Amino acid sequence: MWKELLVLSDDKKQVIAKLPNDLTLPRDMDFSGLEEAMVPLNADAFFIYEEEVLRFLTLAKEGKSESFHGIVIAQKLDATVDLLVSEDDMLASMVVTGAYGGKPLSGPQVVQALASGSVTKGINKLALKKVLVVSRQLKPGKQYSQPVATGTKPVDGKDTQFVPLVKDVTKQVLAPVEDETGKVDMLNLGETVSVTKGQPLMRRVPPSLGKPGLTVQGKTIPAVDGKDLPLKEGKGSHISDSDPDLLVATVTGMPILQECSVDVDDVLVLDTIGVATGHVKFKGNLLVKGNVESDMKVRATGNITIGGFVESANIQAQGDVTIAKGIIGHNVSDNQKKSCIIKAGGSIKANYAQFAELQAGHDIELAIHCMNNEIRCGNNLFVTNKNGSQGTLSGGETKVGGKVVCVNLGVEGDTATYVHGFARYKMHKERQNKFREHYQLAQEATMDVVRKELEFKKRPKAERSEEEEAQIESSKVAASANLERIKTARDLHSEEFERLLVENTIQATKKVYTRVIVQFGDDKVTTKRVHGAATFSYNQYEIQCSSMIDEEMLEDDL
């Protein structure tokens, strides 16, 4: 039926539906067969105006005159292109709609699309060519999106950099040297790090300027220049007279790297400490190339670095104590002091320690084992090597302010291992209670001011003075500010406390043995069987033990 109704316009760009005078349309006629009827007209790719088709069918079925004159129901359309620019103006894309039997896109159309969006920068010519090619291949009405222009992001300048020209002495013992076969020799720590007078220590690299960016529409995006930071003179160092960006040593000694400076400390270097040297007390850093023998006392206001063993000696430093090999004491009875004592205001690092007393203001790090020691440290205790393959904490008493990490916890047999984790718990708990008390007092003070204000307003206006009203308002503001200040401090401490409870655990990455006594706060648990890898934590109410592997660990087994 549709074949009898369709004709092409004279320019062959439109399909016209026209009802012949001698033809009557069935009442149930619809779109069926329309597309097939357009094939002989070579118009099957034309865009069909569905609303116009419905209008023609309605008019034709009613015999309206307009249907006899003809209605355009389909048309040949050329490919179209729309330009989309992102919200930040950093990307422009062209959306191509395939032609309905018409022409593909032309170069001028693409150029005009760019101009319509004021896109002038970051244009990709290959992408534009692809748009033209795709417009010839797209099926009628199908769409294709192609990025055609990209903005240039701004590049912020780099801040001033401070490049050390000497090795970091704090990493010397932690960086063993490889031997000729490529194996790491834990006993060979390289040469002692020291500098001579006039030696370059640090170079300042000036900041760089930022490079502005450009949007696809040519708008400049400002960039941030790098921060200009000064090179600072340190103890035993000064800025070179010939180069303002170079720091040189003024004395011979050990370099201590700072963020934007280098200190050069006087260093006492000894081969060993024993009967030949006597006890050593030194203001500054101390470097012992070999061992510290039994019964020796060593004191230093700086760091102490020992390249060998320490056996039954008493060593104390205000800074760090770093021992390349081991700390060895002798087994004594419970009521006797340990024969080997190491105390540091900073951290203690060694390969292993046994039958010794170790106290550190910060961390204690032991690579192989910690056996029957009395441990006290302000922060964390690590008993593990770099790859986590060995590190046993067994016997003795350990009390740490932060967390404990080891590979094996405890020992086979009946020897008890006592570990007190997060020893600062009581301090934080007391602080939390004080914050609550202060907050309650602040609330009461605020309510007192509110009550005074209510009593003031109940009085007749003649009995109220402006001075008294101002005083009440001032007290009200001060009480409110104090309440808010205490609330903020309380909430911040509460968040910090919760974070520390989560972080400060006792963790064994491989095995936990029997008779390990774990304590948090005033609560204690004792393990009754051997477990796999496990983590002990505290939620302020009970000590919890969670397995780090698939094995179940129940409280009844602790």
Side-chain angles (χ1 to χ4, degrees):
M1 177 66 75
W2 276 107
K3 291 181 180 180
E4 302 173 24
L5 303 174
L6 303 181
V7 294
L8 277 177
S9 62
D10 294 338
D11 59 5
K12 300 188 182 300
K13 292 184 178 181
Q14 295 178 331
V15 175
I16 302 172
K18 189 175 183 181
L19 182 64
N21 292 331
D22 58 349
L23 188 64
T24 303
L25 293 188
R27 303 300 297 178
D28 60 348
M29 185 173 175
D30 54 17
F31 282 78
S32 301
L34 174 60
E35 293 182 2
E36 291 80 356
M38 293 172 65
V39 174
L41 301 176
N42 293 324
D44 50 306
F46 284 21
F47 178 76
I48 298 174
Y49 298 105
E50 295 183 356
E51 292 183 358
E52 292 301 295
V53 174
L54 289 173
R55 189 165 74 88
F56 168 76
L57 289 173
T58 301
L59 294 174
K61 290 174 183 179
E62 295 176 358
K64 299 291 185 180
S65 60
E66 191 174 350
S67 64
F68 293 100
H69 293 122
I71 296 175
V72 176
I73 63 165
Q75 187 167 355
K76 180 186 289 187
L77 297 177
D78 296 338
T80 60
V81 60
D82 294 309
L83 186 73
L84 300 178
V85 180
S86 61
E87 290 185 6
D88 59 0
D89 297 335
M90 293 298 287
L91 181 67
S93 301
M94 285 188 174
V95 180
V96 184
T97 303
Y100 290 89
K103 299 177 182 178
L105 292 177
S106 63
Q109 280 181 283
V110 172
V111 173
Q112 178 59 37
L114 291 173
S116 68
S118 301
V119 175
T120 58
K121 300 294 181 182
I123 298 172
N124 187 333
K125 293 182 179 179
L126 290 177
L128 296 180
K129 289 181 179 179
K130 187 174 181 180
V131 168
L132 293 173
V133 172
V134 169
S135 73
R136 298 187 185 96
Q137 301 171 347
L138 277 179
K139 293 182 179 180
K142 296 297 181 181
Q143 290 189 326
Y144 174 79
S145 179
Q146 173 65 48
V148 294
T150 306
T152 304
K153 293 184 178 179
V155 178
D156 291 341
K158 292 184 178 180
D159 295 344
T160 302
Q161 297 182 45
F162 300 95
V163 181
L165 305 178
V166 294
K167 293 181 179 180
D168 188 349
V169 68
T170 62
K171 298 179 180 178
Q172 181 189 14
V173 173
L174 301 180
V177 178
E178 291 185 357
D179 61 17
E180 296 177 355
T181 64
K183 294 182 179 180
V184 174
D185 183 358
M186 294 299 295
L187 305 182
N188 182 7
L189 305 174
E191 296 183 359
T192 302
V193 178
S194 61
V195 296
T196 58
K197 183 178 180 180
Q199 181 176 337
L201 302 173
M202 178 175 282
R203 176 164 292 281
R204 173 184 177 271
V205 179
S208 61
L209 298 176
K211 186 178 180 180
L214 277 177
T215 69
V216 294
Q217 296 174 332
K219 297 177 182 177
T220 300
I221 305 174
V224 179
D225 294 336
K227 293 181 181 178
D228 190 4
L229 302 172
L231 181 66
K232 296 182 179 179
E233 295 184 344
K235 175 186 176 184
S237 65
H238 76 105
I239 295 173
S240 170
D241 296 332
S242 59
D243 188 347
D245 291 323
L246 183 66
L247 194 69
V248 297
T250 58
V251 295
T252 297
M254 178 181 289
I256 308 297
L257 299 182
Q258 308 295 342
E259 187 175 353
C260 55
S261 182
V262 179
D263 293 333
V264 180
D265 282 349
D266 293 334
V267 181
L268 175 61
V269 180
L270 299 173
D271 289 331
T272 60
I273 295 180
V275 177
T277 63
H279 299 313
V280 175
K281 187 175 183 181
F282 183 68
K283 292 183 178 180
N285 296 314
L286 175 62
L287 175 62
V288 183
K289 294 181 179 180
N291 303 328
V292 177
E293 298 175 1
S294 299
D295 301 321
M296 303 311 301
K297 293 181 180 180
V298 182
R299 304 287 186 269
T301 59
N303 301 323
I304 297 178
T305 303
I306 299 168
F309 294 96
V310 173
E311 183 175 358
S312 295
N314 189 314
I315 297 175
Q316 297 184 29
Q318 293 181 15
D320 299 332
V321 175
T322 304
I323 301 167
K325 297 181 182 178
I327 301 169
I328 305 169
H330 298 296
N331 197 1
V332 296
S333 59
D334 293 339
N335 58 354
Q336 288 183 309
K337 288 185 177 181
K338 298 290 186 183
S339 63
C340 191
I341 299 174
I342 312 291
K343 296 183 180 181
S347 299
I348 296 175
K349 297 179 183 178
N351 241 6
Y352 61 86
Q354 57 192 41
F355 302 108
E357 177 185 342
L358 308 182
Q359 292 185 24
H362 297 296
D363 295 341
I364 294 179
E365 298 180 29
L366 302 172
I368 299 176
H369 68 248
C370 176
M371 185 173 70
N372 294 316
N373 296 302
E374 184 179 327
I375 301 287
R376 299 289 183 273
C377 64
N379 288 340
N380 308 312
L381 170 65
F382 299 96
V383 187
T384 176
N385 58 2
K386 287 185 178 180
N387 59 21
S389 61
Q390 58 181 338
T392 299
L393 172 58
S394 61
E397 294 187 1
T398 300
K399 187 173 184 179
V400 301
K403 64 182 177 181
V404 177
V405 178
C406 61
V407 178
N408 297 309
L409 179 58
V411 63
E412 292 182 356
D414 204 35
T415 302
T417 301
Y418 174 79
V419 185
H420 186 172
F422 192 21
R424 292 175 295 175
Y425 170 80
K426 280 191 174 182
M427 177 193 74
H428 283 282
K429 192 68 177 177
E430 290 172 359
R431 188 178 297 175
Q432 188 180 54
N433 292 334
K434 286 183 179 179
F435 274 123
R436 287 174 180 169
E437 292 174 4
H438 291 163
Y439 184 69
Q440 186 175 357
L441 291 173
Q443 282 183 314
E444 292 174 358
T446 303
M447 291 306 300
D448 286 342
V449 176
V450 171
R451 283 191 287 269
K452 286 181 180 180
E453 183 181 30
L454 292 174
E455 292 173 0
F456 175 77
K457 290 182 177 180
K458 288 178 182 179
R459 287 155 47 189
K461 289 186 178 181
E463 298 179 8
R464 305 179 200 169
S465 67
E466 293 183 359
E467 182 180 352
E468 186 179 1
E469 184 178 7
Q471 185 178 1
I472 291 175
E473 183 63 27
S474 176
S475 299
K476 185 178 177 182
V477 171
S480 178
N482 185 52
L483 180 65
E484 185 62 28
R485 179 181 60 81
I486 294 175
K487 180 179 181 299
T488 300
R490 181 201 65 182
D491 292 345
L492 287 174
H493 175 264
S494 180
E495 291 176 6
E496 174 70 4
F497 191 20
E498 290 296 328
R499 182 184 66 79
L500 291 173
L501 281 169
V502 173
E503 291 181 358
N504 292 330
T505 60
I506 297 173
Q507 183 182 105
T509 60
K510 186 175 181 181
K511 189 173 289 187
V512 180
Y513 292 93
T514 58
R515 287 205 70 192
V516 175
I517 304 166
V518 175
Q519 177 174 349
F520 286 98
D522 293 326
D523 293 320
K524 296 180 183 179
V525 294
T526 303
T527 57
K528 298 176 183 178
R529 68 177 180 87
V530 178
H531 299 293
T535 299
F536 297 87
S537 59
Y538 191 52
N539 62 6
Q540 301 192 58
Y541 304 103
E542 62 178 352
I543 297 173
Q544 297 176 326
C545 181
S546 60
S547 173
M548 295 172 65
I549 54 177
D550 294 335
E551 169 193 4
E552 282 193 11
M553 300 184 69
L554 306 176
E555 290 186 7
D556 293 341
D557 293 326
L558 295 178

